[in-house]
Amino acid sequence: MGAYEEKKETCGTICLKYLLFTFNFLFWLAGGVVMAVGVWTLVEKSDYISLLSSKTYEASAYILILAGAIVMVTGVLGCCATFKEQRRLLRVYFVLLLCIFLLEILAGVLAYIYYQQLNEELKQNLREKMIQKYQQSTHEHITGAVDKLQQEFKCCGSNSSSDWAESIWIRSSEANGRKVPDSCCKTPSEFCGMRDHPSNIYKVEGGCITKLETFILDHLKIIGAVGVGIACVQIVGMVFTCCLYRSLKAEPY
């Protein structure tokens, strides 16, 4: 009877090992996805980040990259701990899962806070940056970000194209008679901004603020969905880890 129980426990342990190994492989892949989302946010959308005064959106991306890196390391560690059947490694693995879980909660809280304050921040800062910093010698990155924003989202001005009438650059001789930047034009060309007729430039209700806000909110939803997905996978992993740890503890040395 004792031999049967021992064999039964061993089979159970083997099943847990392979379940945990499969989980760790999927977890490792998920870590790569999390890192990719974070890197994509910083690299592909870094221009838009420069238009925001708050660093919360950028911080959320860095937290995703950090969490993804830890997830990938944890996945490898989990595989080693599973096949070597070392309880010490399993404890380290469990602690790392817990740390990742806390990082995800932090990223989620930051994303939620930023979600609440985003509209007000854009209203206060986007128009000011467009009017005061566009085409200024010390703010080339703002100029590039605004041009990219207006072309990609097919918009003109913060709230409307009339915002550009108050621009420092538009009022200066450097604008050469332009009424809006050339990036407002539906078909951009040099000096096309001299004509601000709706047939020539983008006139979108709500201006670029509405477009940028929608984009950032959609991206925050992606960050939130990724975080929730990884958190659910982690809970499963922690359960498997506890079960395997108890199983190994019950076995004789």
Side-chain angles (χ1 to χ4, degrees), residues 41-142:
T41 300
L42 293 176
V43 175
E44 291 295 322
K45 306 303 172 184
S46 58
D47 291 332
Y48 299 149
I49 291 174
S50 68
L51 296 175
L52 306 172
S53 59
S54 172
K55 298 297 181 183
T56 309
Y57 183 70
E58 187 177 8
S60 297
Y62 278 115
I63 289 173
L64 275 182
I65 293 173
L66 178 61
I70 296 175
V71 163
M72 296 186 78
V73 172
T74 302
V76 174
L77 179 64
C79 290
C80 294
T82 301
F83 279 102
K84 290 188 176 183
E85 299 186 6
Q86 292 185 3
R87 287 176 289 161
R88 184 179 299 175
L89 280 178
L90 284 173
R91 284 197 296 268
V92 173
Y93 174 67
F94 185 87
V95 170
L96 284 174
L97 283 180
L98 189 59
C99 288
I100 297 166
F101 190 76
L102 293 175
L103 276 175
E104 287 163 355
I105 290 175
L106 177 60
V109 170
L110 286 174
Y112 179 77
I113 292 172
Y114 195 58
Y115 182 91
Q116 301 298 316
Q117 68 184 35
L118 178 62
N119 183 266
E120 192 62 32
E121 180 187 334
L122 288 176
K123 284 180 180 177
Q124 291 176 359
N125 297 289
L126 185 60
R127 186 172 182 273
E128 179 185 345
K129 287 188 176 182
M130 284 184 165
I131 290 173
Q132 296 183 4
K133 298 181 179 180
Y134 185 79
Q135 287 292 4
Q136 301 304 301
S137 58
T138 55
H139 299 288
E140 291 87 354
H141 63 292
I142 297 294

